[in-house]
Protein backbone atom coordinates (compact mmCIF):
# COMPACT_ATOMS: atom_id res chain seq x y z
CA UNK A 1 0.00 0.00 0.00
CA UNK A 2 2.84 2.35 0.89
CA UNK A 3 4.47 1.55 -2.46
CA UNK A 4 1.35 2.64 -4.40
CA UNK A 5 1.16 5.89 -2.50
CA UNK A 6 4.83 6.56 -3.20
CA UNK A 7 4.36 5.78 -6.91
CA UNK A 8 1.32 8.03 -7.05
CA UNK A 9 3.24 10.85 -5.34
CA UNK A 10 6.13 10.46 -7.79
CA UNK A 11 3.72 10.48 -10.73
CA UNK A 12 2.16 13.74 -9.50
CA UNK A 13 5.58 15.26 -8.86
CA UNK A 14 6.99 14.40 -12.30
CA UNK A 15 3.83 15.53 -14.06
CA UNK A 16 3.93 18.91 -12.32
CA UNK A 17 7.60 19.41 -13.20
CA UNK A 18 7.19 18.63 -16.91
CA UNK A 19 8.69 21.27 -19.18
CA UNK A 20 6.41 22.78 -21.80
CA UNK A 21 9.05 23.69 -24.40
CA UNK A 22 6.94 22.20 -27.14
CA UNK A 23 4.09 24.70 -26.58
CA UNK A 24 3.98 27.22 -29.44
CA UNK A 25 4.38 30.91 -28.67
CA UNK A 26 2.25 33.70 -30.02
CA UNK A 27 3.97 35.62 -32.80
CA UNK A 28 3.39 39.37 -33.00
CA UNK A 29 2.91 40.63 -36.56
CA UNK A 30 2.95 44.32 -37.53
CA UNK A 31 -0.49 45.82 -38.11
CA UNK A 32 -1.87 49.21 -39.08
CA UNK A 33 -5.33 50.57 -38.28
CA UNK A 34 -6.78 51.56 -41.66
CA UNK A 35 -10.42 52.15 -40.85
CA UNK A 36 -13.40 51.74 -38.57
CA UNK A 37 -16.87 50.34 -39.31
CA UNK A 38 -19.88 51.09 -37.12
CA UNK A 39 -22.95 48.89 -36.73
CA UNK A 40 -26.13 49.43 -34.70
CA UNK A 41 -27.25 46.44 -32.63
CA UNK A 42 -30.44 45.80 -30.71
CA UNK A 43 -29.87 44.17 -27.32
CA UNK A 44 -33.49 43.59 -26.28
CA UNK A 45 -33.30 39.82 -26.78
CA UNK A 46 -31.06 37.08 -25.48
CA UNK A 47 -28.20 38.07 -27.80
CA UNK A 48 -27.57 41.32 -29.70
CA UNK A 49 -28.84 41.39 -33.29
CA UNK A 50 -28.65 43.90 -36.13
CA UNK A 51 -31.24 46.59 -35.64
CA UNK A 52 -34.23 46.39 -37.95
CA UNK A 53 -34.72 49.55 -40.00
CA UNK A 54 -32.19 51.32 -37.73
CA UNK A 55 -34.76 51.69 -34.94
CA UNK A 56 -33.67 50.70 -31.45
CA UNK A 57 -35.03 51.17 -27.97
CA UNK A 58 -32.57 53.62 -26.41
CA UNK A 59 -32.08 51.43 -23.31
CA UNK A 60 -31.12 48.44 -25.47
CA UNK A 61 -28.73 50.13 -27.88
CA UNK A 62 -25.36 48.54 -28.58
CA UNK A 63 -22.73 50.11 -30.85
CA UNK A 64 -20.34 47.73 -32.59
CA UNK A 65 -17.01 49.35 -33.47
CA UNK A 66 -15.10 47.10 -35.88
CA UNK A 67 -11.43 47.91 -36.31
CA UNK A 68 -10.15 47.36 -39.84
CA UNK A 69 -6.50 46.43 -39.78
CA UNK A 70 -3.87 45.82 -42.43
CA UNK A 71 -1.22 43.23 -41.66
CA UNK A 72 0.49 43.50 -45.04
CA UNK A 73 1.92 40.21 -46.28
CA UNK A 74 1.45 38.50 -42.93
CA UNK A 75 -1.37 36.07 -42.27
CA UNK A 76 -3.44 37.58 -39.45
CA UNK A 77 -5.98 34.78 -39.17
CA UNK A 78 -3.46 32.18 -38.01
CA UNK A 79 -4.09 31.17 -34.39
CA UNK A 80 -0.51 31.90 -33.35
CA UNK A 81 -0.22 35.33 -34.98
CA UNK A 82 -1.21 38.37 -32.94
CA UNK A 83 -1.62 41.60 -34.90
CA UNK A 84 0.38 44.24 -33.02
CA UNK A 85 -0.16 47.89 -33.94
CA UNK A 86 2.84 49.77 -35.27
CA UNK A 87 1.09 52.94 -34.05
CA UNK A 88 -0.98 51.95 -30.98
CA UNK A 89 -4.45 53.34 -30.28
CA UNK A 90 -4.39 55.72 -27.33
CA UNK A 91 -8.03 56.84 -27.23
CA UNK A 92 -11.42 55.93 -28.70
CA UNK A 93 -14.02 58.72 -28.55
CA UNK A 94 -17.72 58.57 -29.46
CA UNK A 95 -19.59 61.69 -30.55
CA UNK A 96 -23.34 62.02 -31.14
CA UNK A 97 -25.12 64.26 -33.62
CA UNK A 98 -28.85 64.71 -33.48
CA UNK A 99 -31.33 65.77 -36.16
CA UNK A 100 -33.20 67.73 -33.47
CA UNK A 101 -32.17 71.36 -33.15
CA UNK A 102 -33.28 71.44 -29.50
CA UNK A 103 -31.06 68.53 -28.41
CA UNK A 104 -28.09 69.84 -26.44
CA UNK A 105 -26.07 66.63 -26.85
CA UNK A 106 -25.80 67.10 -30.62
CA UNK A 107 -22.14 67.17 -31.68
CA UNK A 108 -20.84 66.48 -28.18
CA UNK A 109 -18.62 63.78 -26.76
CA UNK A 110 -20.78 60.97 -25.36
CA UNK A 111 -18.14 58.32 -24.66
CA UNK A 112 -18.94 58.47 -20.95
CA UNK A 113 -22.50 57.26 -21.71
CA UNK A 114 -21.10 53.99 -23.11
CA UNK A 115 -19.50 51.01 -21.38
CA UNK A 116 -17.89 47.86 -22.74
CA UNK A 117 -20.39 45.08 -23.26
CA UNK A 118 -19.48 42.04 -21.09
CA UNK A 119 -17.01 39.81 -22.91
CA UNK A 120 -19.38 37.24 -24.34
CA UNK A 121 -19.46 37.78 -28.08
CA UNK A 122 -17.36 36.26 -30.84
CA UNK A 123 -14.45 38.45 -32.07
CA UNK A 124 -14.93 40.81 -29.10
CA UNK A 125 -12.09 43.05 -27.99
CA UNK A 126 -11.93 44.82 -24.62
CA UNK A 127 -11.34 48.58 -24.85
CA UNK A 128 -8.31 49.18 -22.64
CA UNK A 129 -8.13 52.83 -23.76
CA UNK A 130 -11.07 53.61 -21.47
CA UNK A 131 -8.75 52.91 -18.52
CA UNK A 132 -5.88 54.97 -19.94
CA UNK A 133 -3.88 52.10 -21.41
CA UNK A 134 -2.73 51.76 -25.01
CA UNK A 135 -4.46 49.30 -27.33
CA UNK A 136 -1.41 47.60 -28.84
CA UNK A 137 -2.68 44.16 -29.92
CA UNK A 138 -5.92 43.05 -31.52
CA UNK A 139 -6.48 39.35 -32.06
CA UNK A 140 -10.20 40.19 -31.97
CA UNK A 141 -11.39 43.16 -34.01
CA UNK A 142 -14.72 44.37 -32.61
CA UNK A 143 -15.53 46.58 -29.64
CA UNK A 144 -19.10 46.41 -28.36
CA UNK A 145 -20.28 49.46 -26.43
CA UNK A 146 -23.57 49.39 -24.51
CA UNK A 147 -25.28 52.70 -23.84
CA UNK A 148 -25.66 53.05 -20.08
CA UNK A 149 -27.26 56.49 -20.06
CA UNK A 150 -29.72 56.65 -22.96
CA UNK A 151 -30.02 59.71 -25.14
CA UNK A 152 -33.41 61.36 -25.62
CA UNK A 153 -35.68 59.76 -28.21
CA UNK A 154 -34.84 60.95 -31.69
CA UNK A 155 -32.61 60.33 -34.68
CA UNK A 156 -28.84 60.23 -34.10
CA UNK A 157 -25.62 59.69 -36.00
CA UNK A 158 -22.51 58.60 -34.12
CA UNK A 159 -18.93 59.45 -34.98
CA UNK A 160 -16.09 57.32 -33.59
CA UNK A 161 -12.61 58.81 -33.52
CA UNK A 162 -9.64 56.53 -32.84
CA UNK A 163 -6.60 58.57 -31.84
CA UNK A 164 -3.23 56.92 -32.38
CA UNK A 165 -0.07 57.52 -30.34
CA UNK A 166 1.41 59.51 -33.25
CA UNK A 167 -1.55 61.92 -33.09
CA UNK A 168 -3.18 60.69 -36.29
CA UNK A 169 -6.88 59.88 -36.17
CA UNK A 170 -9.03 57.27 -37.87
CA UNK A 171 -12.70 58.26 -37.95
CA UNK A 172 -16.02 56.83 -39.05
CA UNK A 173 -19.64 58.02 -39.06
CA UNK A 174 -22.53 55.66 -38.49
CA UNK A 175 -25.72 55.51 -40.44
CA UNK A 176 -28.57 57.32 -38.68
CA UNK A 177 -30.31 55.39 -35.91
CA UNK A 178 -33.63 56.26 -34.34
CA UNK A 179 -34.11 55.86 -30.59
CA UNK A 180 -37.63 55.43 -29.22
Amino acid sequence: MFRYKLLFLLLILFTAMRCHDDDPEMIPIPATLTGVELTHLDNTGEVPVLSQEHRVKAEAYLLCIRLIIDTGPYESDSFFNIPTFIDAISKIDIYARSDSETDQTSGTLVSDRFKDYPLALEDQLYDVTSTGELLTQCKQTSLYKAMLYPLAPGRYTFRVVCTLVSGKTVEADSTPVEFY
Side-chain angles (χ1 to χ4, degrees):
M1 183 69 166
F2 177 73
R3 211 175 349 176
Y4 292 117
K5 287 182 182 179
L6 182 62
L7 284 173
F8 181 71
L9 181 64
L10 287 174
L11 176 71
I12 296 288
L13 183 64
F14 287 126
T15 304
M17 292 175 52
R18 182 175 166 257
C19 182
H20 292 281
D21 287 338
D22 56 340
D23 288 345
E25 291 186 20
M26 297 298 196
I27 302 166
I29 58 172
T32 306
L33 180 66
T34 58
V36 177
E37 285 180 1
L38 305 177
T39 308
H40 306 295
L41 299 174
D42 187 346
N43 195 27
T44 54
E46 195 170 310
V47 293
V49 294
L50 284 173
S51 65
Q52 299 297 322
E53 301 172 9
H54 299 292
R55 290 193 73 223
V56 180
K57 199 172 189 177
E59 296 84 20
Y61 179 70
L62 194 63
L63 178 64
C64 175
I65 304 169
R66 187 171 161 267
L67 304 177
I68 302 168
I69 61 170
D70 180 20
T71 57
Y74 299 99
E75 189 178 326
S76 65
D77 59 350
S78 170
F79 179 76
F80 300 109
N81 291 344
I82 297 180
T84 304
F85 289 120
I86 296 167
D87 193 3
I89 300 172
S90 61
K91 186 169 54 167
I92 299 174
D93 290 324
I94 303 171
Y95 295 89
R97 283 182 290 182
S98 172
D99 288 351
S100 170
E101 293 180 19
T102 60
D103 189 358
Q104 296 176 348
T105 60
S106 186
T108 60
L109 181 67
V110 293
S111 299
D112 58 342
R113 291 179 177 258
F114 288 87
K115 183 165 175 71
D116 279 323
Y117 190 75
L119 293 173
L121 302 173
E122 188 176 318
D123 83 337
Q124 187 172 358
L125 175 67
Y126 179 70
D127 181 14
V128 296
T129 64
S130 61
T131 60
E133 297 179 43
L134 295 177
L135 183 58
T136 57
Q137 295 181 334
C138 62
K139 185 68 176 169
Q140 290 77 19
T141 57
S142 296
L143 299 161
Y144 294 90
K145 298 284 192 170
M147 188 183 300
L148 289 183
Y149 308 106
L151 296 169
R155 197 169 161 88
Y156 292 90
T157 303
F158 291 101
R159 170 175 282 228
V160 172
V161 179
C162 296
T163 306
L164 308 179
V165 171
S166 65
K168 294 179 185 175
T169 59
V170 178
E171 305 175 7
D173 288 330
S174 72
T175 57
V177 62
E178 184 176 342
F179 293 141
Y180 62 93

